[in-house]
Amino acid sequence: MRRELLVALSAFFLMTLTAITGVYAMEKDEKTYKLILEEKTDITSDGQEEMIQLKGDASDQPENSNFFKELFLDVSIQKDKTATLAVEGGFDPKLHIMDINDDHHKELLLSVSANERGTEKSFYFFQLQGNKLVELQKPELASVESQFKDAYKAELKINKEKMYIFDLYDRRHHYEKLGLYHKGRLNEPTELILSPFSELKVTRLNNQTAIKGKQRISGLAAVDTIGYLETWWTWNKQEWVLQKVKVKEISYKGN
């Protein structure tokens, strides 16, 4: 009797496991991959055109949604070979195909928004090397020092060389109310907030291909925008070199 019961239980377990596996396979097959961009171009300068596709996993999303759970870059190298790379998803992905570092090979510049407003973005540089898509280095500030100063001022220093002084006198009532200042004197050391790149785009600088970046500079909170930092970078065959810096200060319109 015990043996018959064990056989019956085993059979039931196998049937249940098979059913679960079948449902999982169906769910996996039901993923909806949307073609976001397709372009045929020679990205390796070998005289042969590659088919480049950007696809997104739009499963469980409304038809007109611009959000994707995951993104996939496909580059068809030959008839039977494709280089594929998965990237973290997001909103409104955009792919640009161009030579961004003057090496006579086209790179893939992918931007993905972390939110629907597009105020926070991730950027990726890829290049086809052999049969693989390889992520390339992006411009990045080596050192940023910032702090509020007495008399409603703030200081921003980049790579220990380039410095900018903000005049925040028009925000004095706001900062006094929040306790940052007392009669113009800083209550305690406080740094500014430098957000990640919200924009990276290819441009020209001194007859060279360059990358222009834009970052928000904030005071006590991200919404307390005091300016924007714009930087221009060129590639020297080993790394991105900072060539130009511009700060755009934003006037305060509070009470």
Side-chain angles (χ1 to χ4, degrees):
M1 183 67 180
R2 176 182 286 183
R3 183 176 180 182
E4 292 175 354
L5 181 60
L6 287 173
V7 170
L9 287 173
S10 297
F12 176 76
F13 175 76
L14 289 172
M15 290 173 64
T16 304
L17 183 61
T18 302
I20 293 173
T21 304
V23 170
Y24 173 77
M26 287 176 63
E27 290 178 351
K28 189 174 181 181
D29 291 340
E30 287 174 0
K31 280 188 176 182
T32 305
Y33 294 98
K34 181 179 178 180
L35 181 62
I36 303 167
L37 178 141
E38 182 178 70
E39 185 173 332
K40 196 172 185 180
T41 184
D42 182 6
I43 62 174
T44 58
S45 298
D46 62 353
Q48 300 292 324
E49 290 187 330
E50 289 80 28
M51 178 63 76
I52 299 152
Q53 292 181 327
L54 175 63
K55 301 175 184 177
D57 179 2
S59 302
D60 304 324
Q61 296 299 318
E63 185 176 347
N64 296 323
S65 174
N66 65 343
F67 176 79
F68 300 92
K69 294 181 179 179
E70 195 173 13
L71 297 167
F72 300 90
L73 271 174
D74 289 342
V75 178
S76 298
I77 307 167
Q78 298 173 6
K79 290 183 178 180
D80 58 343
K81 285 187 179 180
T82 301
T84 302
L85 192 66
V87 180
E88 187 176 349
F91 291 89
D92 196 25
K94 287 184 171 57
L95 182 66
H96 303 278
I97 306 168
M98 60 187 73
D99 183 1
I100 64 175
N101 53 15
D102 284 338
D103 65 349
H104 306 294
H105 296 278
K106 292 181 181 179
E107 285 77 36
L108 310 179
L109 170 55
L110 175 65
S111 65
V112 186
S113 297
N115 55 41
E116 202 162 5
R117 293 182 302 163
T119 54
E120 297 179 20
K121 293 183 180 180
S122 296
F123 298 91
Y124 306 91
F125 292 172
F126 297 105
Q127 188 180 66
L128 183 64
Q129 296 181 6
N131 296 330
K132 293 182 179 180
L133 282 168
V134 177
E135 186 171 1
L136 303 179
Q137 177 186 344
K138 298 188 295 288
E140 185 176 358
L141 292 171
S143 172
V144 178
E145 299 174 13
S146 65
Q147 57 184 334
F148 283 94
K149 309 288 284 186
D150 286 339
Y152 313 110
K153 296 186 185 298
E155 177 184 277
L156 179 72
K157 188 180 291 186
I158 300 166
N159 291 356
K160 300 182 179 180
E161 296 177 0
K162 304 178 187 298
M163 187 171 69
Y164 188 87
I165 301 295
F166 292 91
D167 184 354
L168 305 174
Y169 186 77
D170 58 352
R171 302 167 190 250
R172 63 192 182 283
H173 298 304
H174 176 66
Y175 288 152
E176 289 276 350
K177 185 177 180 180
L178 292 175
L180 178 64
Y181 287 96
H182 178 66
K183 295 182 178 180
R185 292 187 63 86
L186 190 64
N187 279 326
E188 60 179 346
T190 306
E191 296 181 351
L192 301 177
I193 302 171
L194 182 63
S195 300
F197 286 113
S198 61
E199 183 179 282
L200 279 179
K201 64 180 184 180
V202 180
T203 184
R204 298 290 293 178
L205 180 68
N206 300 328
N207 294 321
Q208 280 185 279
T209 302
I211 295 290
K212 180 184 176 183
K214 184 177 180 180
Q215 296 171 262
R216 180 196 297 265
I217 307 167
S218 304
L220 290 179
V223 294
D224 180 27
T225 305
I226 66 174
Y228 290 93
L229 173 65
E230 295 181 344
T231 51
W232 284 259
W233 308 75
T234 57
W235 182 255
N236 71 352
K237 298 184 180 181
Q238 292 184 331
E239 61 183 356
W240 290 102
V241 179
L242 181 62
Q243 299 288 359
K244 181 181 175 182
V245 174
K246 184 177 181 180
V247 174
K248 291 186 176 179
E249 193 167 347
I250 304 297
S251 61
Y252 183 62
K253 297 181 180 180
N255 295 324

